[in-house]
PDB file of all heavy atoms in Angstrom:
ATOM      1  N   ASP W 239     -44.209 -16.282 -10.376  1.00 93.00           N
ATOM      2  CA  ASP W 239     -45.376 -16.284  -9.741  1.00 93.00           C
ATOM      3  C   ASP W 239     -46.572 -16.023 -10.753  1.00 93.00           C
ATOM      4  O   ASP W 239     -47.494 -16.726 -10.689  1.00 93.00           O
ATOM      5  CB  ASP W 239     -45.435 -15.282  -8.574  1.00 93.00           C
ATOM      6  CG  ASP W 239     -44.585 -15.916  -7.339  1.00 93.00           C
ATOM      7  OD1 ASP W 239     -44.290 -17.055  -7.311  1.00 93.00           O
ATOM      8  OD2 ASP W 239     -44.217 -15.005  -6.564  1.00 93.00           O
ATOM      9  N   VAL W 240     -46.233 -15.062 -11.447  1.00 92.00           N
ATOM     10  CA  VAL W 240     -47.302 -14.670 -12.572  1.00 92.00           C
ATOM     11  C   VAL W 240     -47.425 -15.814 -13.575  1.00 92.00           C
ATOM     12  O   VAL W 240     -48.492 -16.169 -14.024  1.00 92.00           O
ATOM     13  CB  VAL W 240     -46.993 -13.358 -13.294  1.00 92.00           C
ATOM     14  CG1 VAL W 240     -47.890 -13.046 -14.445  1.00 92.00           C
ATOM     15  CG2 VAL W 240     -47.010 -12.172 -12.158  1.00 92.00           C
ATOM     16  N   LEU W 241     -46.268 -16.286 -13.993  1.00 92.00           N
ATOM     17  CA  LEU W 241     -46.339 -17.300 -15.058  1.00 92.00           C
ATOM     18  C   LEU W 241     -46.965 -18.705 -14.578  1.00 92.00           C
ATOM     19  O   LEU W 241     -47.512 -19.476 -15.341  1.00 92.00           O
ATOM     20  CB  LEU W 241     -44.848 -17.614 -15.525  1.00 92.00           C
ATOM     21  CG  LEU W 241     -44.123 -16.630 -16.282  1.00 92.00           C
ATOM     22  CD1 LEU W 241     -42.605 -16.896 -16.642  1.00 92.00           C
ATOM     23  CD2 LEU W 241     -44.887 -16.307 -17.618  1.00 92.00           C
ATOM     24  N   LYS W 242     -46.817 -18.886 -13.231  1.00 90.00           N
ATOM     25  CA  LYS W 242     -47.372 -20.111 -12.674  1.00 90.00           C
ATOM     26  C   LYS W 242     -48.906 -20.050 -12.717  1.00 90.00           C
ATOM     27  O   LYS W 242     -49.531 -21.127 -13.156  1.00 90.00           O
ATOM     28  CB  LYS W 242     -46.899 -20.196 -11.258  1.00 90.00           C
ATOM     29  CG  LYS W 242     -47.363 -21.508 -10.569  1.00 90.00           C
ATOM     30  CD  LYS W 242     -46.748 -21.543  -9.143  1.00 90.00           C
ATOM     31  CE  LYS W 242     -47.099 -22.924  -8.513  1.00 90.00           C
ATOM     32  NZ  LYS W 242     -46.548 -22.861  -7.128  1.00 90.00           N
ATOM     33  N   VAL W 243     -49.435 -18.893 -12.629  1.00 91.00           N
ATOM     34  CA  VAL W 243     -50.968 -18.750 -12.705  1.00 91.00           C
ATOM     35  C   VAL W 243     -51.331 -18.893 -14.292  1.00 91.00           C
ATOM     36  O   VAL W 243     -52.240 -19.574 -14.518  1.00 91.00           O
ATOM     37  CB  VAL W 243     -51.367 -17.306 -12.159  1.00 91.00           C
ATOM     38  CG1 VAL W 243     -52.823 -17.187 -12.453  1.00 91.00           C
ATOM     39  CG2 VAL W 243     -51.031 -17.188 -10.623  1.00 91.00           C
ATOM     40  N   SER W 244     -50.554 -18.169 -15.068  1.00 90.00           N
ATOM     41  CA  SER W 244     -50.913 -18.273 -16.550  1.00 90.00           C
ATOM     42  C   SER W 244     -50.713 -19.680 -17.068  1.00 90.00           C
ATOM     43  O   SER W 244     -51.525 -20.244 -17.849  1.00 90.00           O
ATOM     44  CB  SER W 244     -50.001 -17.361 -17.313  1.00 90.00           C
ATOM     45  OG  SER W 244     -50.115 -16.034 -16.840  1.00 90.00           O
ATOM     46  N   ASN W 245     -49.731 -20.337 -16.442  1.00 89.00           N
ATOM     47  CA  ASN W 245     -49.540 -21.792 -17.029  1.00 89.00           C
ATOM     48  C   ASN W 245     -50.590 -22.716 -16.642  1.00 89.00           C
ATOM     49  O   ASN W 245     -50.945 -23.636 -17.347  1.00 89.00           O
ATOM     50  CB  ASN W 245     -48.097 -22.242 -16.442  1.00 89.00           C
ATOM     51  CG  ASN W 245     -47.746 -23.559 -17.107  1.00 89.00           C
ATOM     52  OD1 ASN W 245     -47.511 -23.640 -18.286  1.00 89.00           O
ATOM     53  ND2 ASN W 245     -47.620 -24.598 -16.228  1.00 89.00           N
ATOM     54  N   ALA W 246     -51.218 -22.519 -15.411  1.00 89.00           N
ATOM     55  CA  ALA W 246     -52.287 -23.308 -14.877  1.00 89.00           C
ATOM     56  C   ALA W 246     -53.468 -23.147 -15.753  1.00 89.00           C
ATOM     57  O   ALA W 246     -54.380 -24.068 -15.829  1.00 89.00           O
ATOM     58  CB  ALA W 246     -52.588 -23.046 -13.433  1.00 89.00           C
ATOM     59  N   ARG W 247     -53.680 -22.063 -16.472  1.00 87.00           N
ATOM     60  CA  ARG W 247     -54.939 -21.889 -17.407  1.00 87.00           C
ATOM     61  C   ARG W 247     -54.711 -22.604 -18.625  1.00 87.00           C
ATOM     62  O   ARG W 247     -55.753 -22.518 -19.438  1.00 87.00           O
ATOM     63  CB  ARG W 247     -55.138 -20.324 -17.527  1.00 87.00           C
ATOM     64  CG  ARG W 247     -55.538 -19.602 -16.234  1.00 87.00           C
ATOM     65  CD  ARG W 247     -55.505 -18.084 -16.305  1.00 87.00           C
ATOM     66  NE  ARG W 247     -55.788 -17.335 -15.181  1.00 87.00           N
ATOM     67  CZ  ARG W 247     -55.800 -16.118 -15.069  1.00 87.00           C
ATOM     68  NH1 ARG W 247     -55.405 -15.437 -16.068  1.00 87.00           N
ATOM     69  NH2 ARG W 247     -56.043 -15.551 -13.871  1.00 87.00           N
ATOM     70  N   LEU W 248     -53.621 -22.875 -18.988  1.00 81.00           N
ATOM     71  CA  LEU W 248     -53.459 -23.530 -20.367  1.00 81.00           C
ATOM     72  C   LEU W 248     -53.755 -24.999 -20.282  1.00 81.00           C
ATOM     73  O   LEU W 248     -53.752 -25.678 -19.336  1.00 81.00           O
ATOM     74  CB  LEU W 248     -51.958 -23.434 -20.726  1.00 81.00           C
ATOM     75  CG  LEU W 248     -51.357 -21.961 -20.961  1.00 81.00           C
ATOM     76  CD1 LEU W 248     -49.862 -22.000 -21.368  1.00 81.00           C
ATOM     77  CD2 LEU W 248     -52.133 -21.332 -22.122  1.00 81.00           C
ATOM     78  N   GLN W 249     -54.480 -25.486 -21.458  1.00 69.00           N
ATOM     79  CA  GLN W 249     -54.879 -26.828 -21.587  1.00 69.00           C
ATOM     80  C   GLN W 249     -53.683 -27.691 -21.923  1.00 69.00           C
ATOM     81  O   GLN W 249     -52.868 -27.266 -22.913  1.00 69.00           O
ATOM     82  CB  GLN W 249     -55.958 -26.976 -22.546  1.00 69.00           C
ATOM     83  CG  GLN W 249     -57.264 -26.289 -22.184  1.00 69.00           C
ATOM     84  CD  GLN W 249     -57.910 -26.814 -20.988  1.00 69.00           C
ATOM     85  OE1 GLN W 249     -57.862 -27.981 -20.734  1.00 69.00           O
ATOM     86  NE2 GLN W 249     -58.433 -26.011 -20.187  1.00 69.00           N
ATOM     87  N   SER W 250     -53.534 -28.786 -21.395  1.00 60.00           N
ATOM     88  CA  SER W 250     -52.508 -29.716 -21.838  1.00 60.00           C
ATOM     89  C   SER W 250     -52.676 -30.233 -23.166  1.00 60.00           C
ATOM     90  O   SER W 250     -53.909 -30.510 -23.568  1.00 60.00           O
ATOM     91  CB  SER W 250     -52.300 -30.827 -20.893  1.00 60.00           C
ATOM     92  OG  SER W 250     -52.009 -30.372 -19.649  1.00 60.00           O
ATOM     93  N   VAL W 251     -51.685 -30.334 -24.047  1.00 53.00           N
ATOM     94  CA  VAL W 251     -51.891 -30.777 -25.387  1.00 53.00           C
ATOM     95  C   VAL W 251     -51.914 -32.385 -25.274  1.00 53.00           C
ATOM     96  O   VAL W 251     -50.751 -32.916 -24.939  1.00 53.00           O
ATOM     97  CB  VAL W 251     -50.793 -30.171 -26.217  1.00 53.00           C
ATOM     98  CG1 VAL W 251     -50.945 -30.767 -27.637  1.00 53.00           C
ATOM     99  CG2 VAL W 251     -50.955 -28.698 -26.378  1.00 53.00           C
ATOM    100  N   ILE W 252     -52.849 -33.011 -25.779  1.00 54.00           N
ATOM    101  CA  ILE W 252     -52.900 -34.472 -25.790  1.00 54.00           C
ATOM    102  C   ILE W 252     -52.791 -34.912 -27.342  1.00 54.00           C
ATOM    103  O   ILE W 252     -53.513 -34.579 -28.093  1.00 54.00           O
ATOM    104  CB  ILE W 252     -54.191 -35.137 -25.250  1.00 54.00           C
ATOM    105  CG1 ILE W 252     -54.268 -34.613 -23.773  1.00 54.00           C
ATOM    106  CG2 ILE W 252     -54.190 -36.555 -25.414  1.00 54.00           C
ATOM    107  CD1 ILE W 252     -55.628 -35.046 -23.176  1.00 54.00           C
ATOM    108  N   VAL W 253     -51.668 -35.662 -27.577  1.00 52.00           N
ATOM    109  CA  VAL W 253     -51.383 -36.192 -28.921  1.00 52.00           C
ATOM    110  C   VAL W 253     -51.930 -37.522 -28.976  1.00 52.00           C
ATOM    111  O   VAL W 253     -51.636 -38.425 -28.329  1.00 52.00           O
ATOM    112  CB  VAL W 253     -49.873 -36.124 -29.141  1.00 52.00           C
ATOM    113  CG1 VAL W 253     -49.637 -36.650 -30.544  1.00 52.00           C
ATOM    114  CG2 VAL W 253     -49.238 -34.702 -28.967  1.00 52.00           C
ATOM    115  N   THR W 254     -52.902 -37.677 -30.009  1.00 60.00           N
ATOM    116  CA  THR W 254     -53.468 -39.042 -30.235  1.00 60.00           C
ATOM    117  C   THR W 254     -53.072 -39.493 -31.644  1.00 60.00           C
ATOM    118  O   THR W 254     -52.946 -38.653 -32.598  1.00 60.00           O
ATOM    119  CB  THR W 254     -55.035 -38.890 -30.089  1.00 60.00           C
ATOM    120  OG1 THR W 254     -55.462 -38.089 -31.114  1.00 60.00           O
ATOM    121  CG2 THR W 254     -55.455 -38.600 -28.732  1.00 60.00           C
TER     122      THR W 254
END
Side-chain angles (χ1 to χ4, degrees):
D239 288 337
V240 174
L241 292 176
K242 190 175 182 180
V243 175
S244 301
N245 188 60
R247 296 173 182 172
L248 295 177
Q249 297 295 329
S250 298
V251 179
I252 301 175
V253 179
T254 59

